[in-house]
Amino acid sequence: MSFSALGLSESIVRAVSEHGYTTPTPIQLQAIPAVLNGGDLLAGAQTGTGKTAGFVLPILQRLTTPKPGAMPVPVGTKRKVRVLVLTPTRELAAQVEESVRTYGKYTGLKSTVVYGGVGINPQISILRQGVDILVATPGRLLDHQQQRTVDLSQVEILVLDEADRMLDMGFIHDIKKVLAVLPKARQNLLFSATFSDDIKKLADSLLNNPALIEVARRNSTVEMIVQKVHPVDRDKKRELLTHLIKENNWHQVLVFTRTKHGANRLAEQLNKSDITALAIHGNKSQAARTKALAEFKKGDLQVLVATDIAARGIDIDQLPHVVNFEIPNVPEDYVHRIGRTGRAGATGEAISLVCVDEIKMFHEIERLIKREVESVVIPGFEPDPSAKAQPILLRSQDHQGRGRAGQGRGGEAGSGQGRGQGRGQGRSTAGSKPAAGGRNAGQSQGGRGKPGQRAGGARSSAGTAGASTSSTQGNKPKPQQGHGSVDGGTQTRAGNGTAGNASQGNSTASAPTPRRPTPKTNPATPALFRKSGRDR
């Protein structure tokens, strides 16, 4: 069946043909008529199946088809946002908006994309001129909403693309804020590569009697992808990856790591082995991420090392190799990772380097995809059969960052009154033991402080003598001894403690003041910290 047979106009079919597509994919065959019908849609489609065109093409058709009885829009009228597409990452947002421009080049419709990591003023200028289709990440969209630089009151169609990843990244609250300002009468399209209980819950609350499309069984992988596991010791992974790239003469390899620090370190090590590599992740500037991705697509870059979030939206024709340097913590992420290859009917290879620590995690992946992945031991890299598994979180504490010393809270010496919170990841402050799980948090709320004393669960400043109290998440406060006294005395500070800053004042040397026990009637409550995942 051709695209024109699906009810698309000549101008849209012309743009699609110029892009090299003549036959709709299975997801497009089902999604295009469903969207044109005007009802809500819940679509389960693997990455690389053409799902973006599956909603972009019918949306373009709907916007260019005059509504029965509608009055013609006067010339010069400012365009209103009629379609809103939300995506989890900047790269995916840019890719979707590029598809809108590519397929809509002959329709006269205008589109733009807004995401964080770049200046907001150029985006404001474009929005003021008016657009028909807006593609956005939730965080930056809310920035515009709060600044009243975008009007969503005329949205007719809402698309949540890769909704499962948005929920994984903690965007559910941002999504609810966006939904609150949209018109109640609208068409909702939800696309997800995997189905979870959270996705079902979101679909139940958002969609109204939706059409359901599944082009493959849930949480499955593309059959065209050859999957293999190479067992290897944890300290031999980098050597094995280098061996595979050089021995097999791989020229375009997408490599996944669990952490940003790990991505940076691996890219640096590969470059030392004469393999051109760059890392992309959330801490990289948008300009650096765009440059690295462009070089990788052109083939100038041999290896692109990425974290799961940054790799969303990477759409490269004929990408031959994906390597899981580290196995993902969430089994569904494996489906998304290897979906970067084997796209649009092409073949691809997905290699997983699995050490003894990750065997259980990979078994969970096999249960999810309902298949056993072939295991191949590479000669010279045989794993040590006597090696014992180590907890991955403990080994990656140093990758999570370190807490800042020198920020005491609550009532410090003098007349300090207030509420305090302290947080460290991976290591606590000087003189204390590492917090359980790589995180420590303290919070105090109290009256006037005493010389040499910090109230509640506040963190002690590095370089002070005497005892301070630090509470680890889920544990009772423990006294911890500071160090670095001035002339054997206690360093005190005068002033009011303020959020996120150490109190400023004059330090004096004096005799140690006996510590008064923390009142049991007002215990410190550990403060819970959680990254929102907002992609600003």
Side-chain angles (χ1 to χ4, degrees):
M1 181 179 291
S2 64
F3 283 101
S4 57
L6 293 176
L8 301 178
S9 65
E10 186 275 334
S11 61
I12 296 175
V13 173
R14 177 184 170 193
V16 172
S17 300
E18 289 180 357
H19 202 59
Y21 300 121
T22 57
T23 304
T25 65
I27 182 65
Q28 294 164 4
L29 283 172
Q30 298 183 55
I32 291 176
V35 177
L36 290 177
N37 194 41
D40 289 357
L41 174 66
L42 173 60
Q46 301 157 342
T47 55
T49 57
K51 64 180 176 60
T52 300
F55 64 80
V56 169
L57 296 179
I59 284 175
L60 294 173
Q61 181 64 38
R62 291 202 61 194
L63 294 189
T64 54
T65 302
K67 296 181 179 179
M71 297 293 293
V73 179
V75 177
T77 302
K78 180 182 176 181
R79 299 169 186 261
K80 298 290 186 180
V81 178
R82 299 173 62 189
V83 176
L84 174 63
V85 182
L86 291 180
T87 72
T89 66
R90 309 168 192 174
E91 284 75 19
L92 182 57
Q95 174 194 316
V96 171
E97 199 273 333
E98 182 182 1
S99 295
V100 172
R101 285 186 284 108
T102 298
Y103 301 136
K105 61 188 298 186
Y106 301 119
T107 63
L109 298 172
K110 289 188 177 181
S111 64
T112 192
V113 58
V114 297
Y115 49 70
V118 296
I120 196 173
N121 290 332
Q123 298 174 357
I124 294 176
S125 299
I126 296 175
L127 290 172
R128 283 175 177 169
Q129 297 173 18
V131 296
D132 301 289
I133 302 173
L134 176 61
V135 186
T137 54
R140 178 51 62 94
L141 179 63
L142 287 178
D143 290 341
H144 284 286
Q145 179 66 25
Q146 291 166 1
Q147 296 186 34
R148 298 183 179 180
T149 55
V150 64
D151 180 10
L152 302 177
S153 63
Q154 303 297 317
V155 170
E156 303 170 15
I157 303 174
L158 169 67
V159 182
L160 298 183
D161 192 16
E162 298 205 1
D164 51 346
R165 171 52 65 185
M166 279 196 277
L167 297 186
D168 291 343
M169 294 171 63
F171 280 129
I172 184 60
H173 299 295
D174 288 348
I175 292 174
K176 289 181 178 179
K177 291 178 182 179
V178 173
L179 295 178
V181 300
L182 297 180
K184 300 299 181 183
R186 64 177 186 272
Q187 183 179 18
N188 302 295
L189 312 177
L190 191 154
F191 287 80
S192 179
T194 59
F195 282 90
S196 63
D197 292 338
D198 290 336
I199 286 293
K200 297 173 185 175
K201 184 178 180 181
L202 175 62
D204 290 341
S205 63
L206 176 66
L207 307 180
N208 179 28
N209 192 25
L212 177 62
I213 295 176
E214 286 188 88
V215 296
R217 71 174 189 269
R218 298 184 180 185
N219 304 324
S220 64
T221 54
V222 178
E223 297 298 331
M224 298 296 291
I225 301 175
V226 178
Q227 303 176 55
K228 292 181 182 178
V229 167
H230 292 322
V232 63
D233 289 335
R234 69 177 71 89
D235 57 351
K236 295 291 183 64
K237 281 193 175 186
R238 196 265 306 167
E239 295 178 23
L240 176 55
L241 177 60
T242 302
H243 169 80
L244 292 172
I245 293 173
K246 292 186 174 181
E247 186 72 17
N248 298 305
N249 198 26
W250 290 349
H251 290 290
Q252 200 174 36
V253 189
L254 178 60
V255 180
F256 284 96
T257 63
R258 274 191 297 267
T259 65
K260 303 169 187 176
H261 174 80
N264 287 336
R265 184 173 58 180
L266 180 58
E268 181 180 341
Q269 292 171 336
L270 290 174
N271 279 294
K272 290 180 180 179
S273 299
D274 296 325
I275 297 174
T276 57
L278 286 175
I280 61 169
H281 50 67
N283 284 356
K284 295 282 187 178
S285 69
Q286 187 57 40
R289 290 162 67 169
T290 302
K291 178 176 180 293
L293 187 55
E295 290 183 5
F296 187 61
K297 285 185 175 181
K298 289 190 300 182
D300 297 337
L301 187 66
Q302 195 170 0
V303 177
L304 185 66
V305 186
T307 55
D308 291 294
I309 294 175
R312 285 304 181 98
I314 294 180
D315 186 8
I316 302 174
D317 292 335
Q318 309 297 322
L319 177 63
H321 308 288
V322 168
V323 176
N324 293 303
F325 185 79
E326 294 171 325
I327 304 304
N329 295 323
V330 180
E332 286 81 2
D333 284 343
Y334 177 84
V335 178
H336 292 293
R337 285 184 178 189
I338 72 171
R340 300 301 113 191
T341 186
R343 301 175 74 86
T347 58
E349 185 177 32
I351 303 297
S352 299
L353 309 184
V354 179
C355 69
V356 64
D357 310 331
E358 301 166 318
I359 293 177
K360 182 178 179 181
M361 297 167 61
F362 199 82
H363 286 334
E364 293 176 357
I365 291 172
E366 290 178 318
R367 283 194 292 271
L368 175 73
I369 64 176
K370 295 180 174 61
R371 63 179 293 183
E372 185 175 344
V373 179
E374 179 186 7
S375 180
V376 179
V377 176
I378 302 299
F381 294 92
E382 297 84 356
D384 182 0
S386 63
K388 296 182 179 180
Q390 296 181 8
I392 291 177
L393 290 179
L394 291 181
R395 291 196 295 106
S396 61
Q397 279 182 5
D398 290 341
H399 302 172
Q400 303 301 319
R402 297 179 181 179
R404 292 176 295 175
Q407 294 189 358
R409 299 304 300 242
E412 293 198 13
S415 59
Q417 276 188 342
R419 184 185 302 263
Q421 295 180 345
R423 171 189 175 187
Q425 288 188 350
R427 295 185 182 180
S428 54
T429 54
S432 64
K433 296 186 295 183
R439 171 174 295 187
N440 94 342
Q443 181 173 356
S444 66
Q445 179 179 9
R448 299 178 181 273
K450 302 295 182 181
Q453 173 185 334
R454 281 161 177 76
R459 296 172 55 191
S460 63
S461 301
T464 59
S468 66
T469 300
S470 176
S471 66
T472 56
Q473 190 169 353
N475 296 323
K476 295 181 179 180
K478 295 181 179 180
Q480 300 174 4
Q481 186 67 33
H483 58 80
S485 60
V486 180
D487 296 331
T490 302
Q491 183 179 6
T492 62
R493 298 188 182 190
N496 295 322
T498 57
N501 296 286
S503 302
Q504 302 296 323
N506 299 321
S507 59
T508 59
S510 61
T513 302
R515 176 165 177 78
R516 301 174 64 182
T518 302
K520 294 184 179 180
T521 57
N522 185 24
T525 303
L528 300 180
F529 291 80
R530 180 180 180 184
K531 292 185 178 180
S532 68
R534 174 176 290 189
D535 190 355
R536 284 179 177 265

